Amino acid sequence: ILIVEDEEDTRQPFVNMLKRRGHNVLESATGKEAIELIEKEKPDMVYLDISLADNISGMDVLRQCKPKFPDIEIVMMSAYATEYEAESLRLGAYSFCKKPISSLAEFFNPIDEIKKKKGL
């Protein structure tokens, strides 16, 4: 699972929770690095924030990577759901998590759903 979040104090709790549950976790703060990791590592799943630390947004990453890697499930994250949710889903995102994520279930449900879908 790749976590793409520019704010380290938001990213690290996600990374730590996933590692405690036994997941292999990659992390990135920038769109450029996220694209490189997706192309090189081909993670099963990506949690992708829309606002990132460089001039490449999460929406740009989604637009660039989803057509090339349709089997990688991407969960978009943003505090601006009304602005981005419909477009994200239209571009192929698996789902959308509105930040701040208020419950562990909200964060882990997409993982459980995707694991069932892929037979993992």
Side-chain angles (χ1 to χ4, degrees):
I1 298 175
L2 171 60
I3 304 289
V4 184
E5 165 63 60
D6 61 323
E7 295 179 29
E8 184 165 351
D9 47 337
T10 301
R11 185 178 67 245
Q12 280 312 308
F14 293 142
V15 169
N16 294 338
M17 284 189 297
L18 290 168
K19 285 182 177 179
R20 279 196 298 274
R21 288 191 171 205
H23 295 283
N24 292 326
V25 183
L26 302 166
E27 55 184 292
S28 172
T30 68
K32 180 181 186 300
E33 184 181 34
I35 291 167
E36 290 169 359
L37 285 168
I38 290 168
E39 290 176 346
K40 181 180 175 203
E41 302 292 335
K42 297 174 185 63
D44 293 317
M45 183 177 178
V46 178
Y47 277 91
L48 180 57
D49 190 24
I50 289 176
S51 299
L52 299 173
D54 60 3
N55 61 351
I56 300 173
S57 74
M59 294 298 287
D60 296 329
V61 174
L62 176 65
R63 280 187 199 95
Q64 186 169 335
C65 293
K66 190 63 181 175
K68 283 193 223 174
F69 305 102
D71 292 339
I72 296 175
E73 299 295 356
I74 299 175
V75 176
M76 300 301 291
M77 302 186 299
S78 178
Y80 306 102
T82 54
E83 296 169 43
Y84 295 107
E85 184 172 13
E87 179 73 359
S88 296
L89 297 173
R90 187 185 70 72
L91 291 170
Y94 178 80
S95 64
F96 193 99
C97 287
K98 184 170 180 358
K99 288 172 39 184
I101 295 172
S102 57
S103 74
L104 290 178
E106 191 178 344
F107 181 75
F108 285 109
N109 282 348
I111 296 170
D112 296 336
E113 292 168 6
I114 290 166
K115 283 169 73 173
K116 282 182 192 165
K117 177 181 167 183
K118 292 187 172 200
L120 302 172

